[in-house]
Amino acid sequence: MLSCSNILSTFFAFVTIGGCFLSTNALYNNSIRPERLPPFVRFSNPDLMSSDVGDGSSFPFDTTQEDADPLKLGGIRLREEAKKLSARLRRLSNEEMGITTMQTIFDSLGYVVSSPDYEVKLSELSKQLGIKLSQYLGVLRTSKMTVENLYQQHLLVSTGQPLDCCEIPNSALKWDENYESLVSHEFSCDLLPPTAVGPGVFNPGRNLTEVFQHNVQYIQSIKWQYFVSTEGIYNEFPAHNCPSSILSGCKNAYDCRHRNLFYSSVYQRRKNVVVVIDQGNSLSPVQLKIAKAVAKHIINSLNENDQVAVMSVSSDVKFSRNDRCVLDQLAHLTYEAKLFHHFFIDHVVKETTPMNHSLAFKTAFSLIRKSKLSGVPGKPADVLIAYISRGLLSTIADAKGIISTLYDEIVRTSDRVFINTYAVIDETKPVMYERSFLQDIAEQNFSKFLADQHLSIPPLRGKAVAVNSTHNLCAVVGDIFEPFGWTVDNLPILSLPVKDELGKGTVVSLTWPCLHDSHLFGVVGMDIHAGDVLESATYYTEDNSYVIVLNNRGKVLVHPDLDRPILSSIQPLFTDLIHFENIADAADLQKRMAQETKGQETVFLQAPVNSTRGVSNNMRVGSLGPGSADYYWQHITMKHSNQTVFIVVLKVFRDSRRYLKPNSAMNDTQLVYHRLDLLSTDHSCIHLKQLATFDVSTFFLTASAFVHPFDHLIQDETKRMVQGYLAYLNDNTNLISNPGILDHIRMDVMATSVINSEWLRQSIRSGLSEHIVRRYVATPNGVFRVFPGTLLNKKYDPIRRQWYIRALERPGKVTLTPPYLDSGGAGYIVTISHTIYEGKPAALHGPSDRVTAVMGLDVPFKYVYRLLTEQLPVCELENIRCFIMDDRGYLVAHRGLIEANDRGPLEEKHITHKEPLVSNDILNHRGFVTKRACHSFMDRTTQRFYQFNTSLDGILTNLVHGEHCARYQITPIFGTNSFIGIVNQTCDMIRAFCPCSTVDRLCLNCHRMEQTECECPCECPLSMNFCSDDIIQANESKGSCSRYPEEIDTVKALPESGRTLPQCYQPNCGQKLKKTECIGVIDCEWCEVDNDRVTRVKQPFCASQRMCFGGVLGAQSPYNDHIPYRELPKEDPITFKSMPVGPVAGGIMGGFLLLALGIYCHRHRICQDSRYSGSLPDGQLRDPNNENDFDEMDDSYNGYINIVLSTFDNPAKINPYFMNTSYRRPTNTESDLGYSSMTPRDDSEQASTACMESVVMGRDRYRPAVPVVRPPTSGAALTILPPPPPVHSARKQKPLVEVESNTSVLERDFGVEPMQTVIPDRMTLLPHQVVTDVVIHATNAH
């Protein structure tokens, strides 16, 4: 019979999942009686209460917490411990990072106050962008004139030198970093449709190569240049072979490559298209496949200015999405709409009912009428219906009814509707009257079927096309919009930025029709790096303002919340300004910006929306908080068309700006630029994985420090360029010309250089050098200084990194970042960062002061946990867990982060992942944590995150009526962005959990977000309304997430010349004999788990992370530079008891010699036929799967080794041979065979071994030697490891593992050969017996 307590425990397990729980006291009282049960149930979620469950007094929700009793946590006063930890972090920042020194430096500098004229600044920005557009148009015009001249010559004498892109071998191409592809700048190539052959076809081909080459020399940001003819020929420069990963391969590339740009240039008016797909039961699989391909080809031929509807029809109609926009009207073909349409088309399946043609036309015309496409009364719009069908009818008589329905719909519609029919043909099926029926529809042949009716409108003839294959669709389908008969506008067209299909980053396409006597014969165009087009806005760094760029439709192209175009890996989502700027009446402001070519408006800023990743757009650097801001804007028009292409907006927070006085900072050391590969120092070395120097700090200039940022990024720096930088920056006479660096950069370089001596002095005298990876400082203007001096990636930008962004959120505080993988090779690290204020002599600084720099310090992430455990030793107890988390709830230190495992990266581990009991309880503490959401337009997600209140005064503990299985206390670490917590878990049963996806970050329920419901930080798909561009998830915040911190590798690839340099720093991990000494040391790991990922090693030891990453022996390093190892014996070392030798020593020695003589005779009989070849008879060969080779036995046998007696076929004319028991094969040779270390005598190399050779030389004879990993024995240190190999040349050899085989007990238990003699672990000694050490000398082989 179940007891009451068991029933309650079972009931508890069920009600916890529902979000409520019983009183803990009742559950743990074994003597409780039913009549003594509490008369209520406590809910952790007050929203679950309703009027249906009694009255409110019966279900109270009490948020009162328990007293912070130190006795519940072993007497720990957490508040006091947090203050001590805060003092240690502050001291670490002040002394090791140099915060006080750097602040003193800036306080001592002179400043000048300036209030810029922002209208003039906006005019300068607009002028820069306008000049770039003029340059692009000039280059494109040259290409256009060249093509038109070639066409005129072609009409007289047909010329052409075709070179098929698909036939170019890879050997003729070269990888180009700017293109992210294999290309050749020596020639252009062609994509040729099968129909475009013959002498009469115009193919300028390679005649354009020289012009294209000159264009690239003039403007290096030009990426692809091309010409598309009306006959389908496609010429492109530079040449490439169109990788197969692009669509369906090279042979089909001309069907899609820039096809939408061709139509947008030829038909510059908005195109309205309704795509109808037949999915009736008469379609064969081949016909359905063709129908899908034709539909997608039509969609791909349109652009974002066109309006589209897509439907599939059988007996009913299906749309691509079930929202009112798609169901009631044609919608703009944005990138998102195109994705939805493609997804819908891919999932169209054949239905079991026939195609209802009348229903299809009724639905299509209904959409056209509802859309009101004309916009101008009396001026109808042109609409195209792309009707893709087999055209099968039940009977021939049905045709009249369908044509009659079509006529009625046309009469009711005010717009001009053309119909293109695409008959999908399966060669295996007979075609009767289907094609004739579809042709009648395309030609609107009403007189054929409605001869008895009076026709009031003339037919608008479309195209009837038969398609029997998915190949060559561009040639087969032809000009889709030919029925419109529009005249071509001879004007250039600029597209929205799109992701480059063949490379990384986004490009802007500029196209121009090519005409001859008003006859269109093609379009010439070029793709330009969007990073170059928009560089003046992207790299704008004034800290009290920022730049926004809109296109002519008001879509945001550049904003601080968006990534840099050069690094965009996905297609950005361009949406309205209202989603980025959290201001009142943003829609009205955007409308005014679109209408007025120039203007200014002052707006009130709403409270900032806290972001999951950075500073809110209303709280940028230098802003004084919510208040007012000024928006200045100006239109940029394109020559030849006089159309607005961009709207440049400058948002200014009302605040004056102070600038450093020229020459107010003098450099006290020689400046060293980070390009150590070009101008090396006297003591260059390798710091982990970076070319570095410990003699001096180096400075790095980001792209924003240059007059032309994008040119700096795509050009290779040369030694002469670097010398020019240094000469200009070191010049105090102002006589050396500026090499392209912004004027104010020199002062930042000089000011930050003063910290160099302090860093160098601290690195020598500090006792924490083995815990500090690097120190650095960055300014908003683009100056970055680091010690030790390091070679960096040119695209690196510190102000876009997490440590910089988080420090700006908490100015004046010590900021900790959650662990992340260091690209420099230090493993997982934590960055401690702090802001530096603008100079203010003899005055205290406050959070409202302007930030002029941010300093950072990188330490191994386990070092932070080491600080925690040194402060709170109780954290090492089994049932006690301590942690540090930041103000978003991400763990900086926790036992679960340092436990030995190789389960993957440690980034973004949240308190909800590791402490679900605590997370469920703290969500009910009002005012401590808030669940928020923001929209990320870069990856099209809604991000859910937590914001913790760092101003908490006191200690947070369990709710009185909350979860008591885990007693916890949490308090802020004063002066930081973090909290310290301690958990005492007294039971094993998990009574609460936080739902988390195990495969991605997708929220389990994207339709609701409750404040008190625990869930891990997650994301939901962001869906936009195709018609209004509104966000469909209207119930969530409309704030914009700040941009993702850039994850670009900091490290520049190690040059060939640097791979022979020594390591700057030797951690000497083997000398760390205790875990407390090893943890938190650079490049060291405390090795606790064996290579099977389960078994604990018998004797943990400290080793390099390359051989024991994450504390797991042989775990794969994320740098792919792991060191293979030999498996360690799992048994205890063989030990013996020592006894006094006494008077029987001589007898014992005699007995032992007899034993040796017997072994010698046995071995002599076995090895008498052996030769130096290293082979044995088949029956005596070792198992090839046995990894426990003789020469890999462990040192842990403490001198008692297996005795191996070998014979010699050729007697050695030398002194008796002595084998060194600590012998290990050298790692740098194969031929030595270990002789030099096996004997202390020089003549040992004359010795030959026959039987020994068979033991030493086996399957590993020709294997490259590898270092052997062994735990240190009493006082012994591990050998210093060699420098790590470069990442790209990581070892391919797998670590040796134990393989099951038919081995003897001796082999299995001790890892030795059966022929070897082994002294047993335990033996029964008689009274007259003794065991002692002996050394056996083999003096002769015969």
Side-chain angles (χ1 to χ4, degrees), residues 37-87:
L37 285 173
F40 55 81
V41 176
R42 300 286 183 182
F43 286 89
S44 64
N45 185 354
D47 295 331
L48 294 177
M49 294 187 297
S50 67
S51 58
D52 299 333
V53 191
D55 57 17
S57 60
S58 301
F59 296 90
F61 181 73
D62 190 359
T63 59
T64 304
Q65 70 172 29
E66 294 181 334
D67 295 332
D69 187 358
L71 297 179
K72 295 180 180 178
L73 296 174
I76 296 176
R77 299 183 180 276
L78 192 61
R79 190 70 171 168
E80 299 301 320
E81 301 299 334
K83 292 179 180 179
K84 295 177 183 178
L85 185 59
S86 171

Side-chain angles (χ1 to χ4, degrees), residues 265-282:
S265 298
V266 173
Y267 303 114
Q268 297 184 7
R269 283 177 276 178
R270 187 179 66 192
K271 297 174 284 294
N272 306 297
V273 181
V274 179
V275 180
V276 180
I277 306 172
D278 181 356
Q279 62 172 156
N281 59 2
S282 64

Side-chain angles (χ1 to χ4, degrees), residues 768-1059:
L768 300 178
S769 296
E770 63 180 2
H771 304 294
I772 297 175
V773 181
R774 61 185 68 87
R775 304 168 172 88
Y776 43 85
V777 58
T779 70
N781 295 325
V783 176
F784 180 74
R785 180 171 294 276
V786 59
F787 181 87
T790 304
L791 178 64
L792 299 173
N793 188 330
K794 185 188 288 189
K795 295 180 180 178
Y796 175 67
D797 193 345
I799 70 173
R800 301 171 189 269
R801 303 289 283 195
Q802 187 176 22
W803 59 268
Y804 190 99
I805 296 173
R806 299 302 300 275
L808 294 182
E809 295 176 349
R810 305 287 179 183
K813 292 188 175 183
V814 178
T815 305
L816 304 179
T817 66
Y820 63 96
L821 186 64
D822 176 41
S823 60
Y828 288 100
I829 61 173
V830 167
T831 297
I832 305 172
S833 56
H834 196 285
T835 53
I836 300 295
Y837 293 115
E838 191 176 71
K840 187 187 294 185
L844 294 177
H845 292 283
S848 61
D849 290 354
R850 188 187 308 280
V851 174
T852 193
V854 175
M855 300 190 73
L857 183 79
D858 291 344
V859 297
F861 82 100
K862 292 185 179 180
Y863 177 70
V864 182
Y865 188 77
R866 175 173 175 169
L867 291 178
L868 182 61
T869 54
E870 288 176 354
Q871 192 65 45
L872 293 172
V874 71
C875 299
E876 300 284 21
L877 297 180
E878 182 177 0
N879 64 323
I880 299 293
R881 296 188 301 276
C882 303
F883 61 85
I884 296 175
M885 70 174 183
D886 69 1
D887 54 353
R888 305 283 168 77
Y890 288 102
L891 294 172
V892 178
H894 188 279
R895 181 188 300 171
L897 300 184
I898 71 164
E899 290 176 345
N901 67 75
D902 61 343
R903 298 172 185 170
L906 294 172
E907 289 97 336
E908 297 187 352
K909 293 298 181 182
H910 200 262
I911 187 174
T912 52
H913 297 135
K914 296 295 184 181
E915 298 293 345
L917 294 177
V918 176
S919 301
N920 274 276
D921 196 76
I922 62 177
L923 282 172
N924 294 291
H925 287 268
R926 294 174 181 171
F928 177 62
V929 57
T930 304
K931 188 186 296 185
R932 298 185 182 275
C934 64
H935 300 309
S936 173
F937 297 102
M938 284 305 303
D939 57 3
R940 297 168 177 78
T941 58
T942 296
Q943 298 288 331
R944 294 181 181 177
F945 63 99
Y946 293 94
Q947 186 68 53
F948 289 81
N949 183 7
T950 56
S951 62
L952 172 70
D953 185 16
I955 298 177
L956 201 74
T957 64
N958 299 71
L959 294 175
V960 172
H961 300 293
E963 175 61 61
H964 292 170
C965 185
R967 299 276 183 176
Y968 71 88
Q969 291 184 10
I970 299 175
T971 192
I973 304 176
F974 178 77
T976 73
N977 69 328
S978 302
F979 299 82
I980 183 175
I982 183 169
V983 182
N984 182 7
Q985 188 162 339
T986 57
C987 54
D988 296 330
M989 188 195 327
I990 297 178
R991 293 184 167 87
F993 68 97
C994 299
C996 304
S997 174
T998 59
V999 294
D1000 51 28
R1001 296 190 72 251
L1002 187 65
C1003 301
L1004 298 184
N1005 187 351
C1006 288
H1007 299 290
R1008 56 174 291 168
M1009 186 182 76
E1010 297 293 338
Q1011 285 293 325
T1012 55
E1013 287 183 356
C1014 184
E1015 65 176 344
C1016 299
C1018 57
E1019 62 187 27
C1020 293
L1022 179 62
S1023 298
M1024 307 290 293
N1025 185 294
F1026 296 158
C1027 299
S1028 63
D1029 277 346
D1030 287 336
I1031 298 171
I1032 292 180
Q1033 298 96 327
N1035 59 313
E1036 295 188 356
S1037 165
K1038 289 192 176 182
S1040 168
C1041 301
S1042 293
R1043 63 175 178 263
Y1044 284 108
E1046 291 181 352
E1047 301 301 331
I1048 184 174
D1049 287 343
T1050 309
V1051 180
K1052 180 179 173 63
L1054 193 63
E1056 292 290 340
S1057 59
R1059 293 174 185 168

Side-chain angles (χ1 to χ4, degrees), residues 1293-1305:
Q1293 181 179 343
K1294 295 182 180 179
L1296 303 179
V1297 295
E1298 184 177 1
V1299 179
E1300 293 293 337
S1301 60
N1302 296 324
T1303 57
S1304 64
V1305 175

